[in-house]
Structure formats: C-alpha cells, structure tokens
Amino acid sequence: MLLDGDEWRAMFHSFRTEAWRLETLPRYLMPQEEAEIRAFEEGKRIDLGSYRSGYTDRVKRQCTEGRTNGRVRILTRPLSDYLRFEFSRYYEPHTAAGEMIRILDVTDRPNPLAGVLDFWLFDRSTVVLMNYEPDGRQINRELYEGDPAPFVEYQRIALSESVPFSEYVSGDVRG
C-alpha cells in the first residue's frame, strides 16, 4: 500500500515509542527545498535562528511525551554541497529539538548496510519503504507488509556503526 497525504502524516502522530529513519542517498531532490539549496550553493547565509518547522515542533513535543525520533545518515567524504546544506539547515535544528541523528561515514571502510534502501521504522514493527529514483527524486512511500525483523537488524547495525551527529561535526571529518 502506498502512503501519501493524511495516511503518511498519521504515521508520525500515531507511533507509540519510536520513529526511526535510515538515509542512504547522497542527495534528495525535494521540490520544496530547491530554492533554499540553490541559495546555499550560491553562498547565501541561512539564518538558523529563525528556522522553525512543524517537524521540529513535533519532535520537541514527542520528546516531552517520551517518544523518540532518530535517524542514521550514511555518507562518504568529501561532503557534497547538499550534505553541508542538510547538516546546517535540518540536522542542527532537528538535534536541538531532540531528534537523535547519527552519522555512518563509510569513506574509509566497507558499508555494513550496502544495498539497503531508505526506510522508516515505527515502533520496530511498521516499516515504510522510501522509494527514490537514482538522482534522489522520490517515487513513493510504500507500507512494507513483510516481517520487520530484517529492518530492526538494519537499525541495530546502523546505530552500532555510527556516531552522534554532534560528535561527527565537532571532529575534523567533514571534508
């Protein structure tokens, strides 16, 4: 079953304990981000002090309710302009809101999740496959109807092989 609109938004409101994402692509092409990415690539300053979104508000609220939001981003160095944009525009305010973002840098080692595609895992029981074109354009979101156990294992591997976002950006590893 494909998820869109209200059905997709409901996934983020109805989970009981955890919403978690694996990000594997070097770039995502989302129409709502095009102007901001272009401005960033042109060297225009992004005012993070004014950044606020429904996403960060929801993450803050869910944290106070004892629910967690997290993700692991797989990447290689040097970081692309897109990743530098994503780090500054989204990851910094999202971690400040309480999202547990981790980085799995596979520049100098084999990727322990090679071949695994993007997905969301809700309460370690519901999986939504995030389907993209090779260039990062989203095709759709698909509710996975099989056994979630492999995705729970992917999450375990991703968490054990990654470092917290704040640790990653504070080191000399951003390239």
Side-chain angles (χ1 to χ4, degrees), residues 17 39 45 76 95 114 118 140 174:
T17 58
R45 187 175 178 278
T76 58
T95 56
D118 286 45
N140 59 35
R174 291 201 285 178

Side-chain angles (χ1 to χ4, degrees), residues 40-146:
F40 181 82
E41 289 172 343
E42 292 169 358
K44 295 180 181 163
R45 187 175 178 278
I46 294 176
D47 182 9
L48 293 177
S50 67
Y51 178 77
R52 183 175 171 190
S53 71
Y55 185 86
T56 55
D57 291 345
R58 180 176 47 77
V59 168
K60 283 180 188 177
R61 184 183 72 256
Q62 289 171 337
C63 284
T64 64
E65 297 167 352
R67 299 192 289 165
T68 63
N69 289 264
R71 73 182 66 220
V72 169
R73 166 55 115 145
I74 299 174
L75 57 77
T76 58
R77 293 182 315 270
L79 296 184
S80 65
D81 285 344
Y82 176 80
L83 284 171
R84 286 193 299 280
F85 167 80
E86 187 174 58
F87 276 23
S88 63
R89 184 62 174 160
Y90 297 120
Y91 286 5
E92 289 180 14
H94 291 181
T95 56
E99 183 174 1
M100 293 178 284
I101 299 175
R102 297 178 66 86
I103 304 298
L104 175 51
D105 188 332
V106 295
T107 302
D108 299 320
R109 65 181 178 138
N111 181 349
L113 295 170
V116 176
L117 302 177
D118 286 45
F119 67 91
W120 276 95
L121 179 62
F122 298 92
D123 296 324
R124 297 188 179 193
S125 62
T126 302
V127 177
V128 177
L129 305 174
M130 305 296 289
N131 299 312
Y132 293 92
E133 296 287 351
D135 70 355
R137 292 183 200 283
Q138 189 172 63
I139 299 168
N140 59 35
R141 294 173 290 262
E142 178 183 359
L143 184 63
Y144 179 74
E145 298 185 21

Side-chain angles (χ1 to χ4, degrees), residues 27 31 33-44 85:
R27 181 179 179 111
E33 295 176 340
E34 286 178 13
E36 277 189 297
I37 290 171
R38 191 170 33 261
F40 181 82
E41 289 172 343
E42 292 169 358
K44 295 180 181 163
F85 167 80

